[in-house]
Amino acid sequence: MNCFEQMLEMGHEQVALCSDRASGLRAIIAIHDTTLGPSLGGCRLMDYPSEEEALLDVLRLSRGMTYKAAVAGLDLGGGKAVIIGDPERKTEEVFRAFGRFVDSLGGRYLTAEDMNTSEREMAIIRQETRHVTGLSKKLGGSGDPGPVTAWGTYHGIRAALERVYGSPDPRGRTVAIQGVGSVGSRLAHHLHEAGAKLIYNDIKPANIARTLEDCGQGTIVDDKGLFAADCDVLAPCAVGAVINPRTLDRIRAPIIAGAANNQLEDDVRDAEALKARGILYVPDYVVNAGGLINVYGEIHGWPPGKSMDRAAGIFDTVKHILAVADEQGITTVAASNHIAEERIAAAARH
Ligand code: NAD
């Protein structure tokens, strides 16, 4: 399928191929939909094996951002950028050239950090354009999105608990967290404070040790033990594609709700399989919208605390999605996609 056919099929407005001979930059910026506002999405740096894979990645990721912003109730569209290159060899020239391309789009695309890019690269891009978010607090930005994402995830879990057990209170519930990094460790903290019991799985023993020290409790399991854990909530907060036909049959938790991106290996197949098994899956892009809320607050100059309050609103968003899924007899993924599409269609009508 050629690029235009892919854009048509997935609903993209614009795809910009960016090449700068002097710095060696090769990047693709994809703008999926700007009905609700300017497109926003991170800039990912990866050594893609082929241009086709880079294109497919940026098309999929930018479309995902449209849905994430729409469900979170933000006036933003979906965009994303990929820089094709070696993450071990980042240069200032590459990010400055990228910044100039972002600037040339006149605000239709706002960039942010993503895989292999950080506040440091955003500061370089800022020298060329104001259409960049995710800056450090020192530069007037919103800083680390981890706290807001963890807070939103915590409230998404509460909504799922209410649905399954009749009360959102985590007290006495057991939550198994995969990945106690920036988001997972803070999630563990909130759950611990609320009286939940914790189970941890992480490939970095130091991160588990730090979380154990903070919470003073928790059981450590390997990844086999994680999926089979006797718990109320499985919270993937590490890597994607962890819910798949190989893990599905082992999962005993009645709820899956975590911050990791792209938890389902296949959105349709795995969401259907979870529904058939009576496992309540809270779509990842709904639960982890705190990161996007954080940069939205940065753009709009929100006072401290407002992003946290908005992230707590993920509780109501999840409740609404679960109600729609029930009413229509569809998966929670289909329900949240449907809600996003309806919001965009209504905005387009006006
Ligand atoms: P992080 O790198 O700080 O933490 C990830 C943790 O997962 C680390 O402790 C790491 O050791 C562990 N890990 C990695 N691979 C693992 C594996 N195979 N098994 C078990 N543990 C593993 O990342 P983060 O910022 O906490 O983000 C976690 C997830 O949430 C990612 O999928 C990220 O894309 C997503 N997310 C994060 C944010 C945010 O604000 N940081 C926002 C939205 C989504």
Side-chain angles (χ1 to χ4, degrees), residues 230-272:
D230 184 11
C231 59
D232 300 296
V233 182
L234 173 63
C237 295
V239 288
V242 290
I243 312 298
N244 56 55
R246 279 126 17 238
T247 55
L248 246 151
D249 285 346
R250 290 186 272 143
I251 296 172
R252 291 165 69 192
I255 296 169
I256 300 176
N261 278 315
N262 308 319
Q263 288 165 34
L264 306 185
E265 191 176 71
D266 183 302
D267 268 346
V268 177
R269 178 198 66 197
D270 299 330
E272 292 285 359

Short mmCIF file of all heavy atoms in Angstrom, two decimals, residues 230-272:
data_model
loop_
_atom_site.label_atom_id
_atom_site.label_comp_id
_atom_site.label_asym_id
_atom_site.label_seq_id
_atom_site.Cartn_x
_atom_site.Cartn_y
_atom_site.Cartn_z
N ASP A 230 -2.49 -14.15 42.14
CA ASP A 230 -3.83 -14.10 42.70
C ASP A 230 -4.07 -12.66 43.19
O ASP A 230 -3.68 -12.31 44.30
CB ASP A 230 -3.88 -15.10 43.88
CG ASP A 230 -5.27 -15.19 44.46
OD1 ASP A 230 -6.21 -14.65 43.83
OD2 ASP A 230 -5.42 -15.77 45.54
N CYS A 231 -4.62 -11.84 42.32
CA CYS A 231 -4.75 -10.42 42.66
C CYS A 231 -6.06 -9.86 42.10
O CYS A 231 -6.75 -10.53 41.32
CB CYS A 231 -3.55 -9.64 42.11
SG CYS A 231 -3.40 -9.76 40.32
N ASP A 232 -6.39 -8.64 42.49
CA ASP A 232 -7.61 -8.01 42.00
C ASP A 232 -7.36 -7.20 40.73
O ASP A 232 -8.24 -7.05 39.89
CB ASP A 232 -8.18 -7.08 43.08
CG ASP A 232 -8.51 -7.85 44.35
OD1 ASP A 232 -9.41 -8.70 44.28
OD2 ASP A 232 -7.84 -7.63 45.38
N VAL A 233 -6.15 -6.65 40.64
CA VAL A 233 -5.81 -5.81 39.48
C VAL A 233 -4.42 -6.17 38.98
O VAL A 233 -3.48 -6.29 39.78
CB VAL A 233 -5.81 -4.30 39.85
CG1 VAL A 233 -5.53 -3.44 38.63
CG2 VAL A 233 -7.11 -3.88 40.51
N LEU A 234 -4.32 -6.33 37.67
CA LEU A 234 -3.01 -6.46 37.04
C LEU A 234 -2.74 -5.12 36.37
O LEU A 234 -3.53 -4.66 35.54
CB LEU A 234 -3.03 -7.59 35.99
CG LEU A 234 -1.79 -7.75 35.13
CD1 LEU A 234 -0.57 -8.14 35.97
CD2 LEU A 234 -2.02 -8.81 34.06
N ALA A 235 -1.63 -4.47 36.77
CA ALA A 235 -1.34 -3.12 36.25
C ALA A 235 -0.04 -3.13 35.46
O ALA A 235 1.05 -2.94 36.02
CB ALA A 235 -1.27 -2.13 37.41
N PRO A 236 -0.12 -3.34 34.13
CA PRO A 236 1.11 -3.28 33.32
C PRO A 236 1.62 -1.84 33.23
O PRO A 236 0.91 -0.96 32.74
CB PRO A 236 0.65 -3.80 31.95
CG PRO A 236 -0.68 -4.45 32.17
CD PRO A 236 -1.29 -3.68 33.31
N CYS A 237 2.82 -1.61 33.71
CA CYS A 237 3.40 -0.26 33.68
C CYS A 237 4.83 -0.31 33.16
O CYS A 237 5.70 0.46 33.61
CB CYS A 237 3.39 0.36 35.09
SG CYS A 237 1.75 0.66 35.74
N ALA A 238 5.09 -1.24 32.24
CA ALA A 238 6.47 -1.37 31.73
C ALA A 238 6.47 -1.31 30.21
O ALA A 238 6.71 -0.24 29.63
CB ALA A 238 7.09 -2.66 32.24
N VAL A 239 6.17 -2.44 29.58
CA VAL A 239 6.31 -2.53 28.13
C VAL A 239 4.97 -2.90 27.46
O VAL A 239 4.03 -3.31 28.16
CB VAL A 239 7.38 -3.59 27.75
CG1 VAL A 239 8.77 -3.09 28.07
CG2 VAL A 239 7.12 -4.90 28.46
N GLY A 240 4.93 -2.82 26.15
CA GLY A 240 3.71 -3.12 25.40
C GLY A 240 3.57 -4.60 25.08
O GLY A 240 4.46 -5.41 25.35
N ALA A 241 2.40 -4.94 24.50
CA ALA A 241 2.09 -6.29 23.99
C ALA A 241 2.16 -7.39 25.04
O ALA A 241 2.32 -8.55 24.70
CB ALA A 241 3.00 -6.62 22.80
N VAL A 242 1.99 -7.04 26.31
CA VAL A 242 2.08 -8.07 27.36
C VAL A 242 0.78 -8.88 27.47
O VAL A 242 0.78 -9.97 28.05
CB VAL A 242 2.45 -7.47 28.75
CG1 VAL A 242 3.88 -7.00 28.76
CG2 VAL A 242 1.51 -6.36 29.16
N ILE A 243 -0.30 -8.35 26.92
CA ILE A 243 -1.54 -9.12 26.90
C ILE A 243 -1.67 -9.71 25.50
O ILE A 243 -1.84 -8.99 24.52
CB ILE A 243 -2.78 -8.23 27.22
CG1 ILE A 243 -2.53 -7.36 28.46
CG2 ILE A 243 -4.03 -9.07 27.35
CD1 ILE A 243 -2.29 -8.09 29.74
N ASN A 244 -1.54 -11.02 25.44
CA ASN A 244 -1.52 -11.71 24.15
C ASN A 244 -1.97 -13.16 24.38
O ASN A 244 -2.15 -13.57 25.53
CB ASN A 244 -0.10 -11.63 23.55
CG ASN A 244 0.93 -12.20 24.51
OD1 ASN A 244 0.81 -13.33 24.95
ND2 ASN A 244 1.95 -11.40 24.85
N PRO A 245 -2.14 -13.93 23.31
CA PRO A 245 -2.65 -15.29 23.51
C PRO A 245 -1.74 -16.14 24.41
O PRO A 245 -2.20 -17.13 25.00
CB PRO A 245 -2.70 -15.85 22.08
CG PRO A 245 -2.83 -14.65 21.22
CD PRO A 245 -2.06 -13.56 21.89
N ARG A 246 -0.46 -15.78 24.53
CA ARG A 246 0.44 -16.57 25.39
C ARG A 246 0.25 -16.26 26.87
O ARG A 246 0.53 -17.10 27.73
CB ARG A 246 1.91 -16.31 25.00
CG ARG A 246 2.32 -17.11 23.80
CD ARG A 246 2.92 -16.36 22.64
NE ARG A 246 3.44 -15.05 22.77
CZ ARG A 246 2.98 -14.00 22.05
NH1 ARG A 246 1.98 -14.16 21.20
NH2 ARG A 246 3.52 -12.83 22.17
N THR A 247 -0.20 -15.06 27.20
CA THR A 247 -0.36 -14.72 28.62
C THR A 247 -1.83 -14.77 29.07
O THR A 247 -2.11 -14.98 30.24
CB THR A 247 0.16 -13.28 28.90
OG1 THR A 247 -0.52 -12.36 28.03
CG2 THR A 247 1.66 -13.18 28.67
N LEU A 248 -2.72 -14.61 28.11
CA LEU A 248 -4.14 -14.45 28.44
C LEU A 248 -4.72 -15.56 29.33
O LEU A 248 -5.42 -15.28 30.31
CB LEU A 248 -4.93 -14.40 27.13
CG LEU A 248 -5.60 -13.07 26.88
CD1 LEU A 248 -5.74 -12.80 25.41
CD2 LEU A 248 -6.95 -13.05 27.55
N ASP A 249 -4.40 -16.79 29.00
CA ASP A 249 -5.00 -17.90 29.74
C ASP A 249 -4.52 -17.99 31.17
O ASP A 249 -5.15 -18.63 32.00
CB ASP A 249 -4.69 -19.23 29.03
CG ASP A 249 -5.56 -19.37 27.80
OD1 ASP A 249 -6.53 -18.60 27.70
OD2 ASP A 249 -5.26 -20.22 26.95
N ARG A 250 -3.37 -17.36 31.44
CA ARG A 250 -2.81 -17.47 32.80
C ARG A 250 -3.33 -16.37 33.72
O ARG A 250 -3.18 -16.46 34.93
CB ARG A 250 -1.28 -17.38 32.72
CG ARG A 250 -0.65 -18.61 32.08
CD ARG A 250 0.85 -18.53 32.17
NE ARG A 250 1.41 -17.82 31.04
CZ ARG A 250 2.44 -17.00 31.10
NH1 ARG A 250 3.03 -16.76 32.25
NH2 ARG A 250 2.92 -16.42 30.02
N ILE A 251 -3.89 -15.33 33.13
CA ILE A 251 -4.27 -14.17 33.95
C ILE A 251 -5.46 -14.50 34.86
O ILE A 251 -6.50 -14.98 34.41
CB ILE A 251 -4.60 -12.96 33.05
CG1 ILE A 251 -3.33 -12.54 32.30
CG2 ILE A 251 -5.15 -11.78 33.88
CD1 ILE A 251 -3.55 -11.49 31.23
N ARG A 252 -5.27 -14.25 36.16
CA ARG A 252 -6.34 -14.54 37.12
C ARG A 252 -7.01 -13.26 37.62
O ARG A 252 -8.06 -13.33 38.25
CB ARG A 252 -5.76 -15.31 38.30
CG ARG A 252 -5.35 -16.73 37.88
CD ARG A 252 -4.46 -17.39 38.90
NE ARG A 252 -5.16 -17.71 40.13
CZ ARG A 252 -4.55 -18.07 41.26
NH1 ARG A 252 -3.25 -18.16 41.30
NH2 ARG A 252 -5.26 -18.36 42.34
N ALA A 253 -6.37 -12.13 37.37
CA ALA A 253 -6.94 -10.86 37.86
C ALA A 253 -8.24 -10.56 37.11
O ALA A 253 -8.30 -10.72 35.89
CB ALA A 253 -5.95 -9.73 37.62
N PRO A 254 -9.27 -10.11 37.82
CA PRO A 254 -10.52 -9.73 37.13
C PRO A 254 -10.44 -8.35 36.44
O PRO A 254 -11.32 -7.98 35.68
CB PRO A 254 -11.55 -9.70 38.26
CG PRO A 254 -10.77 -9.50 39.51
CD PRO A 254 -9.41 -10.08 39.29
N ILE A 255 -9.34 -7.61 36.74
CA ILE A 255 -9.18 -6.26 36.16
C ILE A 255 -7.76 -6.11 35.61
O ILE A 255 -6.79 -6.50 36.28
CB ILE A 255 -9.39 -5.17 37.25
CG1 ILE A 255 -10.81 -5.20 37.80
CG2 ILE A 255 -9.04 -3.77 36.71
CD1 ILE A 255 -11.01 -4.34 39.05
N ILE A 256 -7.66 -5.52 34.42
CA ILE A 256 -6.34 -5.11 33.91
C ILE A 256 -6.42 -3.60 33.68
O ILE A 256 -7.27 -3.12 32.91
CB ILE A 256 -5.98 -5.81 32.58
CG1 ILE A 256 -5.94 -7.33 32.78
CG2 ILE A 256 -4.63 -5.32 32.06
CD1 ILE A 256 -5.69 -8.12 31.50
N ALA A 257 -5.57 -2.87 34.38
CA ALA A 257 -5.56 -1.41 34.22
C ALA A 257 -4.17 -0.92 34.60
O ALA A 257 -3.76 -1.04 35.75
CB ALA A 257 -6.61 -0.75 35.12
N GLY A 258 -3.45 -0.40 33.63
CA GLY A 258 -2.10 0.08 33.90
C GLY A 258 -1.70 1.14 32.90
O GLY A 258 -2.45 1.45 31.96
N ALA A 259 -0.50 1.69 33.09
CA ALA A 259 -0.07 2.85 32.31
C ALA A 259 0.69 2.50 31.02
O ALA A 259 0.86 3.38 30.18
CB ALA A 259 0.82 3.74 33.16
N ALA A 260 1.15 1.27 30.87
CA ALA A 260 1.99 0.96 29.71
C ALA A 260 1.23 1.21 28.41
O ALA A 260 0.02 0.97 28.34
CB ALA A 260 2.46 -0.49 29.77
N ASN A 261 1.94 1.69 27.41
CA ASN A 261 1.33 1.92 26.10
C ASN A 261 1.18 0.60 25.35
O ASN A 261 2.02 -0.29 25.47
CB ASN A 261 2.22 2.85 25.27
CG ASN A 261 1.98 4.31 25.63
OD1 ASN A 261 0.85 4.75 25.75
ND2 ASN A 261 3.06 5.05 25.82
N ASN A 262 0.12 0.50 24.55
CA ASN A 262 -0.09 -0.64 23.65
C ASN A 262 0.00 -1.99 24.35
O ASN A 262 0.74 -2.88 23.93
CB ASN A 262 0.91 -0.58 22.48
CG ASN A 262 0.89 0.76 21.80
OD1 ASN A 262 -0.19 1.33 21.60
ND2 ASN A 262 2.04 1.29 21.47
N GLN A 263 -0.75 -2.16 25.42
CA GLN A 263 -0.69 -3.40 26.21
C GLN A 263 -1.19 -4.62 25.45
O GLN A 263 -0.71 -5.72 25.64
CB GLN A 263 -1.52 -3.24 27.49
CG GLN A 263 -0.88 -2.33 28.49
CD GLN A 263 -1.83 -1.87 29.58
OE1 GLN A 263 -2.72 -2.61 30.00
NE2 GLN A 263 -1.65 -0.66 30.05
N LEU A 264 -2.18 -4.40 24.58
CA LEU A 264 -2.72 -5.54 23.82
C LEU A 264 -1.87 -5.75 22.58
O LEU A 264 -1.59 -4.81 21.84
CB LEU A 264 -4.17 -5.28 23.41
CG LEU A 264 -5.17 -4.91 24.52
CD1 LEU A 264 -6.58 -4.82 23.95
CD2 LEU A 264 -5.13 -5.92 25.65
N GLU A 265 -1.50 -7.01 22.35
CA GLU A 265 -0.71 -7.29 21.14
C GLU A 265 -1.57 -6.99 19.91
O GLU A 265 -1.09 -6.46 18.92
CB GLU A 265 -0.28 -8.76 21.16
CG GLU A 265 0.74 -9.12 20.12
CD GLU A 265 1.18 -10.56 20.28
OE1 GLU A 265 0.37 -11.47 19.99
OE2 GLU A 265 2.32 -10.77 20.70
N ASP A 266 -2.85 -7.34 20.00
CA ASP A 266 -3.78 -7.05 18.91
C ASP A 266 -5.05 -6.45 19.54
O ASP A 266 -5.72 -7.14 20.31
CB ASP A 266 -4.10 -8.34 18.16
CG ASP A 266 -5.01 -8.10 16.97
OD1 ASP A 266 -6.14 -7.57 17.15
OD2 ASP A 266 -4.61 -8.45 15.85
N ASP A 267 -5.33 -5.20 19.20
CA ASP A 267 -6.41 -4.46 19.86
C ASP A 267 -7.77 -5.16 19.79
O ASP A 267 -8.52 -5.15 20.75
CB ASP A 267 -6.55 -3.07 19.21
CG ASP A 267 -5.71 -2.05 19.94
OD1 ASP A 267 -5.26 -2.35 21.06
OD2 ASP A 267 -5.50 -0.96 19.38
N VAL A 268 -8.07 -5.72 18.62
CA VAL A 268 -9.41 -6.31 18.46
C VAL A 268 -9.42 -7.72 19.05
O VAL A 268 -10.23 -8.04 19.94
CB VAL A 268 -9.81 -6.33 16.96
CG1 VAL A 268 -11.16 -7.01 16.79
CG2 VAL A 268 -9.84 -4.91 16.41
N ARG A 269 -8.49 -8.56 18.60
CA ARG A 269 -8.46 -9.97 19.04
C ARG A 269 -8.35 -10.08 20.57
O ARG A 269 -9.13 -10.79 21.21
CB ARG A 269 -7.25 -10.66 18.37
CG ARG A 269 -7.06 -12.12 18.77
CD ARG A 269 -5.66 -12.58 18.43
NE ARG A 269 -4.65 -11.89 19.23
CZ ARG A 269 -3.35 -11.85 18.94
NH1 ARG A 269 -2.91 -12.45 17.85
NH2 ARG A 269 -2.50 -11.22 19.72
N ASP A 270 -7.40 -9.37 21.15
CA ASP A 270 -7.16 -9.54 22.59
C ASP A 270 -8.25 -8.87 23.43
O ASP A 270 -8.59 -9.39 24.50
CB ASP A 270 -5.76 -9.02 22.96
CG ASP A 270 -4.67 -9.79 22.21
OD1 ASP A 270 -4.90 -10.98 21.91
OD2 ASP A 270 -3.62 -9.20 21.91
N ALA A 271 -8.81 -7.77 22.94
CA ALA A 271 -9.91 -7.14 23.69
C ALA A 271 -11.12 -8.06 23.71
O ALA A 271 -11.79 -8.22 24.74
CB ALA A 271 -10.26 -5.79 23.06
N GLU A 272 -11.37 -8.72 22.57
CA GLU A 272 -12.50 -9.68 22.51
C GLU A 272 -12.25 -10.86 23.44
O GLU A 272 -13.15 -11.32 24.14
CB GLU A 272 -12.67 -10.22 21.06
CG GLU A 272 -13.13 -9.19 20.05
CD GLU A 272 -14.61 -8.86 20.18
OE1 GLU A 272 -15.28 -9.44 21.04
OE2 GLU A 272 -15.08 -7.97 19.42
#
